[in-house]
Amino acid sequence: MEGQEGTQQLHLVLANKRFLLTHPDVQDIEKVRLKEEVFSMVKADDMAPFYETLVAESVLEMDQSVLDSMRAKIEEELKKLDEKIADAEENLGESEVREAHLAKSLFYIQIGDKDKALEQLKVTESKTVAVGQKMDLVFYTLQLGFFYMDFDLISKSIDKAKSLFEEGGDWERKNRLKVYEGLYCMSTRNFKMAADLFLDSISTFTTYELFPYDTFIFYTVLTSIISLDRVSLKQKVVDAPEILTVIGKIPYLSEFLNSLYDCQYKSFFSAFAGLTEQIKLDRYLHPHFRYYMREVRTVVYSQFLESYKSVTIEAMAKAFGVTVEFIDLELSRFIAAGKLHCKIDKVAGVLETNRPDAKNALYQATIKQGDFLLNRIQKLSRVIDL
C-alpha cells in the first residue's frame, strides 16, 4: 500500500484547516498560517459562497474586492457551462448532455455552493443511466456531506448507494462505500460498526479522496481497541500485515496498541497521553473525545481486573504508573456508572471483582420479563371482565 499514491480531496483538506482555525487548543501563531492557507485556497477555487460563510463566522475578514472578483469569475464560468449544456442538447448525444450537466455540478461543488450543487447533481442523475455513474454522483454528494458535516445528507446518500447496489455495481465502488460508511459511523459514535467496516476495507483501500492510508489505519486501530475482544484484536489488528507496514509511521500508535495487548499498562498510559492531542485535533473524533477517553480506560481497567479475584489498589496504581488517589477516584466513577464490575474495600485498600454470571443474569431477566407479562395479562383480563 505504501507505494500507491492517492490525493485527498482539496475541499476536505480545506474543511480540516477551517476546523483547526476554530479549535481553542491550536496556537495563535499556527492560526495565522492556517488563515493564510484557507484564504488562498478559497481564492484559488473562487469559493465566493463559502467565503461569505467564513466571514459570517469571523474566521476570515471581508475583502470586498476579492469577493467581487470571485463573483465575476463565477458568473463568467456559469455562462460558459450553460452554453455547453445548450450546445450538447441541440447538437450532441445523451452522454455529452450528461457530461455537460456533470461539469456544472462539479463547478458548484468547487465554489462551495452546497444547495445549487445538490440541485444540479439531481439534474445530472436524471440524465444518467449506468449504475456505476449514478454511484459516482452519490460519492460526490457524500464528499459534500463530509465537507459540511451534514450527517442527515450522508445517511440518506449511504442508503441510496446501498439501494443502487441492489441493481448492480462493481466491487471497487462497494469497497469504497464501506470506508465512507465507516467514517460516518465513527463520526456518529458507532465505533463498533466503524471498526468492522474499516477492517473489511484494509486490503482493498482506495478511498484516498477522504484521507491518506496512514489516517485510515489510525482510525481503524482506535475504533478496534474499544470494539473488539482480545482474540479478535490479535487476529485482525495486532498481527495484520497491512497495519504492521504503516503503524510505525504514526506517533504513539504502535505502543498504544501493543502495550494494551501485552498488558504493559504503564507504557499504555504513556502512549495514550501522547495520542490524546491527535484525537482532540481530529475533525471527526473531536466531538467524541471525552467519550473515547472513557471507553479506552474502561477497556484497559476491565482487562487488568479480569486476572484477579481481588487486588490491592496500590498494586493496580503501580501497574498503571499513577497515584493511589488517582486510581481510587477513577475506579469509583466507573463502578458508579456500571462500567466496571468490582467493589472497593477502602479500609483494607483492596479491590474485589464481582463479575456478572451470564446465565444467572439471563435467568433474572427472564423472571423479570415474565412478571411484567403476567401483570399486563391481569390488567387486560380486568378490562375484559368490565
Side-chain angles (χ1 to χ4, degrees):
M1 295 301 302
E2 286 174 273
Q4 291 185 11
E5 287 298 322
T7 310
Q8 189 178 4
Q9 217 244 4
L10 280 174
H11 278 198
L12 293 178
V13 176
L14 174 61
N16 193 53
K17 289 181 189 294
R18 174 203 189 179
F19 163 72
L20 292 173
L21 261 176
T22 57
H23 201 292
D25 291 351
V26 176
Q27 293 181 352
D28 289 343
I29 194 160
E30 181 69 9
K31 285 185 178 179
V32 171
R33 184 184 62 80
L34 284 166
K35 193 176 277 193
E36 287 172 5
E37 289 176 3
V38 167
F39 188 51
S40 62
M41 288 176 86
V42 166
K43 276 201 298 183
D45 279 342
D46 298 318
M47 300 178 74
F50 187 61
Y51 178 56
E52 289 176 284
T53 304
L54 293 178
V55 168
E57 291 174 357
S58 303
V59 174
L60 294 177
E61 288 81 34
M62 171 60 83
D63 186 330
Q64 195 61 46
S65 62
V66 170
L67 183 61
D68 292 341
S69 169
M70 287 193 286
R71 281 177 176 164
K73 287 179 186 173
I74 289 168
E75 206 174 308
E76 190 183 327
E77 187 60 31
L78 283 173
K79 197 175 176 183
K80 286 179 188 174
L81 288 166
D82 287 335
E83 282 170 8
K84 281 183 184 175
I85 290 169
D87 180 52
E89 285 174 345
E90 284 177 30
N91 307 313
L92 303 168
E94 287 179 5
S95 62
E96 286 81 4
V97 171
R98 181 196 173 273
E99 289 302 316
H101 278 288
L102 177 60
K104 191 175 180 182
S105 303
L106 296 178
F107 180 70
Y108 278 131
I109 292 171
Q110 179 193 308
I111 63 170
D113 194 330
K114 181 186 173 188
D115 295 334
K116 286 185 179 174
L118 291 172
E119 196 181 301
Q120 188 60 35
L121 280 166
K122 282 180 184 172
V123 175
T124 310
E125 190 188 356
S126 68
K127 311 283 181 186
T128 307
V129 178
V131 174
Q133 290 178 331
K134 283 184 179 179
M135 271 304 307
D136 290 338
L137 296 176
V138 174
F139 285 128
Y140 288 131
T141 310
L142 283 166
Q143 286 165 26
L144 260 180
F146 282 116
F147 180 75
Y148 290 100
M149 292 299 250
D150 183 341
F151 294 123
D152 185 47
L153 177 63
I154 295 166
S155 176
K156 285 175 182 172
S157 299
I158 288 169
D159 292 340
K160 187 176 181 178
K162 286 178 178 176
S163 66
L164 279 171
F165 278 134
E166 289 172 13
E167 298 172 29
D170 59 88
W171 282 105
E172 193 263 338
R173 287 187 177 94
K174 281 185 181 177
N175 288 326
R176 280 177 66 203
L177 182 66
K178 281 182 185 177
V179 180
Y180 278 87
E181 189 178 359
L183 182 58
Y184 166 70
C185 290
M186 186 183 80
S187 303
T188 52
R189 207 176 279 186
N190 187 350
F191 290 114
K192 175 79 177 80
M193 183 79 167
D196 292 342
L197 288 162
F198 286 154
L199 288 166
D200 277 352
S201 312
I202 279 187
S203 55
T204 56
F205 180 83
T206 56
T207 323
Y208 294 102
E209 68 272 15
L210 281 184
F211 36 62
Y213 190 63
D214 292 9
T215 306
F216 172 67
I217 293 300
F218 177 67
Y219 291 154
T220 305
V221 172
L222 289 187
T223 52
S224 298
I225 275 178
I226 61 169
S227 306
L228 302 181
D229 57 63
R230 239 177 106 72
V231 177
S232 301
L233 192 69
K234 174 74 170 165
Q235 290 172 348
K236 296 179 180 179
V237 184
V238 176
D239 290 342
E242 295 91 351
I243 290 176
L244 289 170
T245 55
V246 175
I247 197 168
K249 296 179 185 177
I250 304 160
Y252 304 107
L253 193 62
S254 178
E255 193 184 348
F256 180 64
L257 173 64
N258 292 306
S259 57
L260 173 67
Y261 186 77
D262 297 334
C263 304
Q264 303 292 325
Y265 299 114
K266 202 178 285 187
S267 301
F268 175 82
F269 259 37
S270 171
F272 188 33
L275 273 178
T276 52
E277 194 69 12
Q278 291 181 57
I279 298 168
K280 205 185 284 186
L281 295 178
D282 186 276
R283 184 167 167 251
Y284 304 108
L285 288 170
H286 174 258
H288 317 294
F289 175 70
R290 291 172 71 85
Y291 172 82
Y292 186 81
M293 299 283 278
R294 279 198 306 273
E295 289 301 300
V296 168
R297 276 149 45 213
T298 303
V299 167
V300 74
Y301 293 149
S302 299
Q303 181 175 291
F304 177 85
L305 293 168
E306 193 73 29
S307 312
Y308 300 95
K309 179 72 180 162
S310 67
V311 62
T312 64
I313 299 174
E314 191 179 344
M316 187 172 179
K318 194 175 177 184
F320 282 93
V322 294
T323 62
V324 171
E325 290 76 17
F326 175 81
I327 211 80
D328 183 32
L329 184 63
E330 279 275 272
L331 293 176
S332 58
R333 283 180 191 153
F334 285 110
I335 292 166
K339 296 273 187 183
L340 293 176
H341 302 288
C342 62
K343 58 184 180 180
I344 300 172
D345 184 340
K346 190 76 173 172
V347 177
V350 171
L351 279 167
E352 293 177 10
T353 58
N354 53 351
R355 293 182 202 91
D357 182 348
K359 281 186 181 176
N360 194 33
L362 186 65
Y363 174 70
Q364 294 295 338
T366 307
I367 288 176
K368 196 174 180 182
Q369 287 169 357
D371 286 345
F372 179 70
L373 182 63
L374 283 170
N375 286 336
R376 293 293 295 271
I377 290 168
Q378 284 170 356
K379 283 179 184 176
L380 189 63
S381 65
R382 282 201 292 270
V383 171
I384 291 167
D385 289 343
L386 288 170

